[in-house]
Amino acid sequence: MNLRLPDAAALAEAAAALRAGQLVVFPTETVYGLGADATSDRAVAAIYAAKGRPSFNPLIVHVPTLEVVARLGVLTLAAEELAVAFWPGPLTLVLNKQPKSGLSELASAGLPSVALRIPAHPVAQALLVAAGVPVAAPSANKSGRLSPTTPKHVADQFGSEVAMILTGGKTTVGVESTVLDLTEDVPVLLRHGGITREEIEALIGPVALVEKPNVLKSPGLLPKHYAPSIPLRMNSFTAGPDEAYLAFGPDTFAGRGAKACLNLSAEGDLTEAAANLFAMLHELDRAEHTAIVVAPVPEIGLGLAINDRLRRAAAL
Ligand code: TXA
Ligand code: MG
């Protein structure tokens, strides 16, 4: 088992593993997180593969200081006030992404915003400082299982997919961070968590709740999704001369004659395809194309999440 006490050597190794694109589980004060370099599409794709999630939800990006927060997201007055009061701590703020954030498109599932958090747990702090890269981390559990609050919970679920599991005792908060969206005129509470609505409102005034009641039960069900601004068609090997084609796999005839063509993965590798998905959709989403046509992607492993996102975009 790759459980390690967070001594200096383990922290240095974990930081190096993160920089090399590997997964590291680390403690935070809320729950254990399954971390990867948030600037690497490949590393973030590995999170989804390890969790076995059949959909791409935007992930929380963990950073050590407010200075790094401001480099990745656009701080507002309310954000700064909340940061001073509650960070480091169990609060996540959704901010507009800085144009040159360098963050993976997959980390925020193609959205123009990013969820940021400065965790308080000393091991998380030490790891983030040592890593020197922002760390995307959902709770370190397989899809559909409970969020882990002890290193043993994690070790029971993850083996060789992760380079290391840093231990840090039982988490003190025990529930996930509160997620507050500050990109709208009125702040929206997207998920209840470690900081209460009352605590937030005492500081910045009224916040709105997400209307869909099921959002609180399944935090992945967001009202907002990235979708291209032009129509999208799935499961096709052919595209017209005004259309853009998004291929998958080695078939060089697929999409022939299309106005533009990109390949999610010429080798048919689903992790590579997931890593490329949002960046390539963004690139093909141009007014000069009448539609984006996407090749069939197998409904296995990460293909499930890729097809889920494509179906939502196609349905609009
Ligand atoms: O306590 C926690 O927050 C834990 C620990 C590991 O830090 N992390 C966690 O991450 O719960 P995750 O990825 O499972 O939760 C992400 C939450 C989801 O509710 C997601 O919908 C929301 O944050 N979220 C992330 N990015 C967003 C964005 N750009 N816009 C709106 N919501 C976003
Ligand atoms: Mg979770």
Side-chain angles (χ1 to χ4, degrees), residues 51 139 141 147 176:
K51 274 189 80 98
S139 50
N141 54 281
S147 296
E176 272 99 342

Side-chain angles (χ1 to χ4, degrees), residues 26-34 48 51 53 57-62 90-95 97 107-109 111-117 119 136-141 147 175-179 181 183 190-191 194 215 218-224:
F26 63 98
T28 83
E29 69 279 21
T30 58
V31 298
Y32 277 71
L34 176 62
Y48 289 103
K51 274 189 80 98
R53 247 191 205 172
N57 302 317
L59 304 174
I60 295 171
V61 175
H62 299 71
L91 177 67
T92 294
L93 299 179
V94 177
L95 305 177
K97 226 192 287 186
S108 56
L111 293 172
S113 55
V114 56
L116 292 159
R117 172 159 115 80
S139 50
N141 54 281
S147 296
V175 296
E176 272 99 342
S177 62
T178 301
V179 180
D181 183 351
T183 64
L190 296 177
R191 181 174 78 183
V215 166
S218 25
L221 289 180
L222 276 179
K224 279 197 231 162

